[in-house]
């Protein structure tokens, strides 16, 4: 298992469905939004963003949106993950 250090978070990428709840299929040409599930956060209970310290708002299982070209792709066995700085996560999706 990969354990992130310092201000890093481990995510498992999840691509939004190409079909709406009512059954309409979204065009292949249209880009779908990307989400990820938080797998692990660093052991720190605080995160530093722009020289300010905040309580870590993330926990395993949270669904989040993140900056498009941030993070590092990593593999653990057959599973693929993204190791990303906590400050590059934009929102928690509820």
């Amino acid at each position: 298992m990969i354990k992130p250090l310092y201000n890093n978070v481990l995510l498992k990428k999840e691509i939004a469905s190409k079909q709406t709840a009512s059954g309409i299929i979204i065009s292949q040409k249209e880009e779908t939004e990307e989400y990820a599930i938080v797998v692990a956060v660093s052991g720190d209970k605080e995160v530093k963003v722009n020289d300010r310290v905040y309580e870590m708002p993330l926990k395993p299982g949270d669904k989040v949106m993140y900056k498009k070209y941030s993070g590092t792709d990593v593999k653990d066995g057959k599973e693929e993950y993204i190791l990303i700085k906590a400050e590059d996560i934009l929102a928690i999706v509820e």
Side-chain angles (χ1 to χ4, degrees):
M1 184 62 188
I2 300 169
K3 292 185 178 184
L5 299 175
Y6 310 114
N7 283 340
N8 292 304
V9 178
L10 187 66
L11 304 176
K12 182 160 177 73
K13 195 172 186 180
E14 180 179 286
I15 298 176
S17 175
K18 293 185 179 184
Q19 186 171 351
T20 65
S22 61
I24 298 171
I25 297 175
I26 299 170
S27 170
Q28 295 291 346
K29 293 179 184 178
E30 229 176 283
E31 193 171 313
T32 58
E33 295 179 33
E34 291 185 356
Y35 299 101
I37 303 297
V38 176
V39 176
V41 295
S42 66
D44 302 335
K45 295 186 190 248
E46 297 176 338
V47 61
K48 187 175 183 181
V49 180
N50 297 330
D51 295 327
R52 296 181 95 182
V53 178
Y54 300 94
E55 182 179 333
M56 175 64 82
L58 304 168
K59 62 186 179 306
D62 284 344
K63 188 175 186 178
V64 297
M65 295 177 74
Y66 57 94
K67 290 181 181 177
K68 190 169 185 169
Y69 296 108
S70 59
T72 302
D73 294 330
V74 294
K75 262 187 150 179
D76 185 25
K78 293 182 181 181
E79 297 291 330
E80 293 185 22
Y81 300 99
I82 301 168
L83 192 57
I84 189 170
K85 291 182 181 181
E87 61 203 44
D88 289 338
I89 295 176
L90 303 172
I92 297 174
V93 180
E94 296 181 350

